[in-house]
Amino acid sequence: MQTSPAHAAHHDRHEIETLEDFDAAVAARGGLAGHRVQGVDLTDRTRELLTTDTAGAVFLGCPMRHEAEAKVRADGALVFPPVPDLPFDPYRGRLYTADELFASLERGYERTPDALSYAWFRQTRADGDIFASMLRAVHDDSVSDALDELLRGARVVGVMGGHAMARGTREYAGAARLGRELSRIGFTVATGGGPGAMEAANLGAYAAPYEDDMLDEACALLGKVPSFTPSITDWARCAFEVRARWPRGNHSIGIPTWFYGHEPPNPFAAHIAKYFANATREDGLLARCNAGVVFLPGAAGTVQEIFDNATPNYYESRGEPTPMVLVDRAHWTERLPAWPLLQALALERSMESRIALVDRIEEAPEALKRLRG
C-alpha cells in the first residue's frame, strides 16, 4: 500500500503547526525566538510562553491567554490574533480533510464548514470588503504552504476531467480504474477535488489497497446517488458510507475551490487543498503535477487546464516539459478539437515528445510511462 506523502519536518524553517511541534521546540531549544507558530491553540501553554524567549517569533492565529499575549508582545513577537466568527481558519497549518469540511453533514450539507465558507465567500465578495479579501489571500497562501510541505518528494500525476461525469456510468468506472492503477504503481494522484471525473480518480486511488472487486462494489453503491444535484447531502452521505465500509483507503490529493462552491469537494481525497482564488488553485494544481497530467473528456474547464498546462511546457518556464495525455480521440479531435492545436504548439519543441492522445482510458498509464522515458 502506498503511504501518504511524508509531512516534511519544518524545524529548519522554525515552523510550528501542532502542539507536539511546540512542546518539542520548547524542550529541545529552550526558546521560541524566531519561530513561526501557525494556528496552534496555546491557551494551555501559558506557563511555557511566560518562561520562554519569544523574541522575533510570529504567532499566526494562535489563541492564548491575555497575560501570555502581553508577555510575548513585550518580547518583541508579532501576534496575529484569531479572527472571530469565521467558518474557516485563515492561518491553518495543514490541509483539510473530508471529515473536517463535511462536519455536521448529519444536519444537512448547508450546516457544514464547507457550505458555510462558501456562503461567507459569496457575501464578502459581493460586499467588496478589503479585510475579507485579505483573509482569503492569507488563507490561500497558508494552504499553498501546507500543500508544498505535504508533496515534498512525491511523484504527482494529475487527473483532470469534468464534474458532470455521473456515478454509475462506464466513464466513471474507467476514471476510477485509472486512479487505482496510478496509485498502485506509486504515483500520488491529484485532481481538482470535485465531483464527476475528479471524484472517480480520487475514489480509484482510495481503492488501490483492496482487491479489484472492491472498486466494482463501491461504484455500484455510489451509482445509487449519481450526482451532487439535486442533493449534495445525499451525494456526500453515500460517499461516506463507502468509506465506512472500506475504511483503509489510499491517499490522494484534491484541490478544489470555493469559487465554484456549488460543486462540493469529494470525500475520497485524503488531503484537500481548498482555495478561495480559482486562479491560484488552477495554477497550483497543474504546477505540482510533476509526473504528468491525464486529461479525461471534459468541457470548458478541462480545455482551460490543457492549455494552462501547455503554456509552461511550451516555454519550459518550470523546467523540462512534463507529460500530457489526452484520453478519447473523438472528444479531443472532433467535439472539442484541442489535440490539433496542442500538436501545432508542440511542433519542433521539447514538449513534442511529451504529449500523447489515446483512445481508451486504460491506455493512459502506459502512455505516461512512455512519455516519461
Side-chain angles (χ1 to χ4, degrees):
M1 172 178 174
Q2 178 191 355
T3 58
S4 171
H7 190 276
H10 5 81
H11 292 308
D12 57 324
R13 292 187 293 154
H14 308 302
E15 291 186 17
I16 295 173
E17 298 170 353
T18 67
L19 273 177
E20 292 77 14
D21 288 347
F22 178 89
D23 291 339
V26 170
R29 294 178 173 83
L32 296 168
H35 283 61
R36 278 75 175 109
V37 190
Q38 186 176 354
V40 181
D41 188 342
L42 298 176
T43 52
D44 292 331
R45 295 297 187 273
T46 300
R47 179 178 61 82
E48 289 81 358
L49 291 170
L50 291 176
T51 58
T52 300
D53 179 15
T54 59
V58 179
F59 294 87
L60 298 167
C62 299
M64 62 181 75
R65 300 193 187 280
H66 175 72
E67 61 269 31
E69 181 177 343
K71 184 267 182 185
V72 301
R73 287 185 185 274
D75 279 352
L78 288 176
V79 179
F80 293 78
V83 181
D85 303 321
L86 281 180
F88 62 94
D89 177 8
Y91 306 110
R92 61 180 302 113
R94 301 287 183 102
L95 298 184
Y96 293 98
T97 66
D99 290 334
E100 182 180 1
L101 288 173
F102 284 102
S104 302
L105 181 65
E106 68 279 0
R107 294 188 290 165
Y109 171 72
E110 65 279 359
R111 304 294 295 274
T112 65
D114 187 64
L116 294 173
S117 296
Y118 178 47
W120 176 90
F121 174 51
R122 294 182 67 188
Q123 177 185 340
T124 57
R125 186 174 57 170
D127 292 345
D129 182 355
I130 184 62
F131 180 57
S133 65
M134 183 198 75
L135 291 174
R136 293 196 297 268
V138 170
H139 169 274
D140 286 0
D141 191 65
S142 298
V143 167
S144 291
D145 182 65
L147 186 59
D148 286 338
E149 291 172 355
L150 181 76
L151 293 180
R152 191 171 294 137
R155 296 187 303 157
V156 183
V157 170
V159 179
M160 310 297 152
H163 68 268
M165 184 184 287
R167 293 168 170 175
T169 62
R170 177 178 58 83
E171 291 79 12
Y172 184 97
R177 289 193 297 272
L178 172 64
R180 182 178 64 186
E181 176 64 17
L182 292 171
S183 189
R184 283 179 172 175
I185 60 179
F187 292 114
T188 295
V189 173
T191 78
M198 296 171 280
E199 181 190 55
N202 286 128
L203 167 65
Y206 186 91
Y210 291 95
E211 298 294 331
D212 288 357
D213 58 358
M214 173 268 174
L215 186 56
D216 296 334
E217 293 182 51
C219 286
L221 290 171
L222 292 168
K224 296 177 181 178
V225 186
S227 175
F228 64 97
T229 59
S231 173
I232 295 176
T233 301
D234 292 344
W235 175 86
R237 282 176 176 165
C238 187
F240 279 105
E241 288 170 7
V242 169
R243 280 185 34 181
R245 182 168 175 180
W246 294 281
R248 296 181 299 277
N250 212 351
H251 294 80
S252 65
I253 311 296
I255 308 182
T257 173
W258 279 294
F259 185 81
Y260 298 130
H262 59 286
E263 298 178 16
N266 77 74
F268 294 107
H271 308 282
I272 301 175
K274 191 152 191 178
Y275 288 89
F276 287 106
N278 186 51
T280 304
R281 169 254 188 171
E282 287 278 8
D283 184 67
L285 169 58
L286 294 166
R288 290 172 175 87
C289 295
N290 55 15
V293 183
V294 178
F295 297 91
L296 303 178
T302 311
V303 172
Q304 177 183 342
E305 288 164 343
I306 289 173
F307 292 103
D308 279 348
N309 197 48
T311 300
N313 280 346
Y314 180 89
Y315 290 111
E316 299 187 46
S317 55
R318 294 178 185 146
E320 187 178 346
T322 53
M324 300 176 64
V325 180
L326 277 61
V327 176
D328 191 329
R329 189 176 303 273
H331 186 85
W332 294 121
T333 61
E334 298 171 18
R335 299 185 193 98
L336 294 173
W339 174 250
L341 178 53
L342 184 61
Q343 275 189 307
L345 281 172
L347 186 63
E348 297 181 353
R349 304 187 74 88
S350 298
M351 68 179 288
E352 186 173 18
S353 63
R354 296 299 181 93
I355 63 172
L357 175 66
V358 299
D359 287 313
R360 297 182 301 109
I361 204 166
E362 290 78 11
E363 300 173 72
E366 182 59 33
L368 267 179
K369 180 180 177 181
R370 183 176 70 252
L371 296 180
R372 285 172 55 83

